[in-house]
Amino acid sequence: MTTFVDRVELHVAAGNGGHGCASVHREKFKPLGGPDGGNGGRGGDVILTVDQSVTTLLEYHHSPHRKATNGKPGEGGNRSGKDGQDLVLPVPDGTVVLDKAGNVLADLVGHGTSYVAAQGGRGGLGNAALASARRKAPGFALLGEPGDLHDIVLELKTVADVALVGYPSAGKSSLISVLSAAKPKIADYPFTTLVPNLGVVTAGSTVYTIADVPGLIPGASQGKGLGLEFLRHVERCSVLVHVLDTATLESERDPVSDLDIIEEELRQYGGLGNRPRVVVLNKIDVPDGKDLAEMVRPDLEARGYRVFEVSAVAHLGLKELSFALADIVGTARAAKPKEEATRIVIRPKAVDDAGFTVTREEVDGELVFRVRGEKPERWVRQTDFSNDEAVGYLADRLNRLGVEDELMKAGARSGDGVAIGPEDNAVVFDWEPTVTAGAEMLGRRGEDHRFEAPRPAAQRRRDRQAERDEATQEFEGFEPF
């Protein structure tokens, strides 16, 4: 059974916004008390957050589809719907978020670092929020927006200070097991290590982490063996340690040629040329290994490498290696720039930006004018096209935004096709310069004649006032003898 996963494809879906409510307040002696429909709730977000207790992406390998909850619809009595609950997904430290094309969306390093992978949809406005002096009793409400749908790729790059690289069975797992408390699988056959191992080393006052990745072989950068699959785990390391086998039984191999081959694979992988290198000649407890280490050490030092002769089995030379790595790690940490608090940069859109474009397109031999923009597309998504008054409200908004003027400038005529939105999800209609709501019973668009109907008591008061006014005018026009 797979226990370590460092790359998964995740399908995330944010929650949909709740629909607004179209309601009219009613009570005794006041059957039409005005609109009181509440707004819909916001849909929940999908958020990736770094959690130090998580070390693998195995959970998302088994369950790659994740969805946040939807917002609740609004209700009468000016009651807004409940917001959807955000879905927080814990990921290991060092997780990189990419899109399907391989573009980096976020690099999550540090406990608590988060990234909104999918944003929830807005809730629709209820008719109480849509009421105005001209539209006293809207008979419609706005629909909630759908949440974002994204397919993303999560890649784990281990956050460690030191990385052990080398051929299979060079003794990397044995070395990390004696330097730290890590307990990797150790055996006398190649590719014993199938997943990266991480250990914590304490050398004096310095504490650092050390990573052991599966062994590299010639052609690893092109996908041979297991090296390419896990080379990403050494990208964040400050120091690369070449573990060379001085007691190999293969006659065509020697420590120097092994080093050259591994360096070539690292060069082809790229991005690791500026990391300091340390060479460890392992297995000097074997007599032939000790002799070979003494032979190749001058050659390696002449190339500029710091060389350590150790034996993971006999615990020889480990203290010197541990403290030397601690010094290099300390120097690398001191050279890093100090981390500053993230600055929040607000970039508001230009006030005079209309926010949409109108283009002429040829679709199936017919002329279509396509309208693209955040506002018109959002308004279309929020419109209930089964309600004539809602369609009329959409027409008013588009007209105020200037869409009709731009269509006329682009050469659109009555009856031409107009598409609002992208090609795969657009609303298409035959354009008319003036769009009516079609709700004749409401009189002028957005007004309800029922609010203008006189009530008996009020009518009696108005009649008496009219009689008094008439009597006053007759008295003022009377001429005495």
Side-chain angles (χ1 to χ4, degrees):
M1 179 181 295
T2 303
T3 58
F4 181 87
V5 175
D6 65 345
R7 190 179 192 278
V8 297
E9 182 176 341
L10 195 61
H11 312 279
V12 293
N16 300 328
H19 299 330
C21 176
S23 173
V24 176
H25 178 69
R26 299 177 186 274
E27 61 181 85
K28 191 175 182 180
F29 304 120
K30 197 175 183 182
L32 298 175
D36 66 348
N39 303 331
R42 178 189 63 86
D45 299 334
V46 179
I47 305 174
L48 304 176
T49 302
V50 175
D51 189 341
Q52 297 287 1
S53 63
V54 179
T55 58
T56 177
L57 300 173
L58 178 63
E59 180 181 356
Y60 307 119
H61 173 74
H62 294 304
S63 302
H65 297 271
R66 298 303 177 101
K67 187 181 187 308
T69 57
N70 299 329
K72 300 297 183 181
E75 299 178 4
N78 293 307
R79 289 174 293 179
S80 297
K82 183 180 179 181
D83 292 341
Q85 186 175 1
D86 294 338
L87 178 61
V88 180
L89 303 178
V91 296
D93 191 4
T95 300
V96 179
V97 186
L98 307 98
D99 59 15
K100 295 296 290 294
N103 301 315
V104 177
L105 303 177
D107 192 355
L108 305 179
V109 178
H111 181 72
T113 305
S114 61
Y115 169 72
V116 180
Q119 191 168 20
R122 300 185 188 184
L125 296 180
N127 65 343
L130 298 174
S132 64
R134 292 183 59 248
R135 184 175 284 104
K136 297 179 181 179
F140 67 97
L142 298 186
L143 304 179
E145 287 190 84
D148 292 339
L149 297 172
H150 293 305
D151 295 333
I152 59 176
V153 177
L154 303 183
E155 282 190 355
L156 175 59
K157 295 182 179 180
T158 302
V159 180
D161 298 303
V162 179
L164 304 180
V165 296
Y167 262 78
S169 298
K172 301 185 298 299
S173 298
S174 300
L175 189 59
I176 194 175
S177 67
V178 295
L179 288 175
S180 67
K183 300 299 179 184
K185 181 180 179 181
I186 301 174
D188 58 352
Y189 55 84
F191 297 112
T192 306
T193 302
L194 301 178
V195 298
N197 298 304
L198 199 64
V200 179
V201 182
T202 301
S205 60
T206 303
V207 179
Y208 59 92
T209 54
I210 186 168
D212 162 34
V213 299
L216 303 177
I217 61 174
S221 59
Q222 281 76 40
K224 292 185 179 180
L226 299 177
L228 177 64
E229 185 177 354
F230 296 106
L231 269 176
R232 71 174 69 96
H233 292 277
V234 305
E235 291 185 18
R236 302 185 190 275
C237 298
S238 303
V239 186
L240 296 180
V241 176
H242 285 282
V243 180
L244 305 180
D245 187 357
T246 61
T248 178
L249 299 179
E250 301 179 28
S251 58
E252 67 276 8
R253 285 178 49 197
D254 64 84
V256 177
S257 62
D258 287 355
L259 176 64
D260 294 337
I261 291 173
I262 300 303
E263 278 291 335
E264 177 63 20
E265 296 304 322
L266 295 177
R267 185 190 67 78
Q268 293 185 16
Y269 183 77
L272 302 172
N274 60 342
R275 310 298 165 83
R277 263 75 162 169
V278 171
V279 174
V280 171
L281 299 174
N282 193 20
K283 303 182 182 180
I284 62 171
D285 54 304
V286 180
D288 293 340
K290 178 64 175 177
D291 296 339
L292 183 58
E294 294 176 353
M295 292 175 56
V296 301
R297 180 167 185 163
D299 188 11
L300 296 174
E301 290 178 341
R303 298 188 182 188
Y305 293 108
R306 294 185 63 178
V307 182
F308 296 88
E309 300 179 13
V310 304
S311 171
V313 175
H315 292 209
L316 300 176
L318 300 179
K319 184 176 181 180
E320 294 80 359
L321 173 63
S322 177
F323 277 86
L325 294 178
D327 292 339
I328 299 175
V329 170
T331 302
R333 290 175 178 174
K336 286 185 178 180
K338 295 183 179 179
E339 296 184 358
E340 298 181 357
T342 303
R343 297 177 59 188
I344 300 176
V345 180
I346 301 177
R347 296 183 176 88
K349 295 182 179 179
V351 176
D352 59 348
D353 184 11
F356 70 93
T357 59
V358 177
T359 57
R360 297 166 60 103
E361 298 180 5
E362 193 80 16
V363 179
D364 297 332
E366 296 183 1
L367 179 63
V368 174
F369 294 85
R370 187 174 300 279
V371 179
R372 294 300 309 274
E374 180 182 352
K375 285 185 177 180
E377 293 179 28
R378 184 176 76 245
W379 293 345
V380 165
R381 290 193 300 266
Q382 293 181 319
T383 300
D384 180 8
F385 286 94
S386 64
N387 187 305
D388 292 336
E389 191 180 354
V391 176
Y393 177 69
L394 172 64
D396 285 345
R397 301 179 85 181
L398 294 176
N399 189 21
R400 288 196 299 268
L401 187 63
V403 173
E404 288 196 4
D405 295 339
E406 291 299 323
L407 287 172
M408 291 181 180
K409 292 179 182 179
R413 298 180 179 179
S414 177
D416 288 342
V418 175
I420 301 180
E423 295 182 5
D424 56 345
N425 186 22
V427 174
V428 183
F429 58 91
D430 295 333
W431 180 62
E432 294 292 339
T434 302
V435 181
T436 59
E440 291 78 13
M441 65 168 292
L442 298 178
R444 290 182 297 175
R445 183 182 305 159
E447 295 186 359
D448 192 330
H449 67 85
R450 294 171 295 180
F451 279 90
E452 306 300 328
R455 290 175 292 180
Q459 186 62 41
R460 287 195 296 269
R461 286 194 298 271
R462 281 194 290 267
D463 292 342
R464 287 195 295 269
Q465 183 63 38
E467 293 175 357
R468 286 194 294 268
D469 294 342
E470 184 178 356
T472 301
Q473 292 175 1
E474 292 178 354
F475 176 78
E476 291 177 351
F478 175 76
E479 296 182 0
F481 295 103

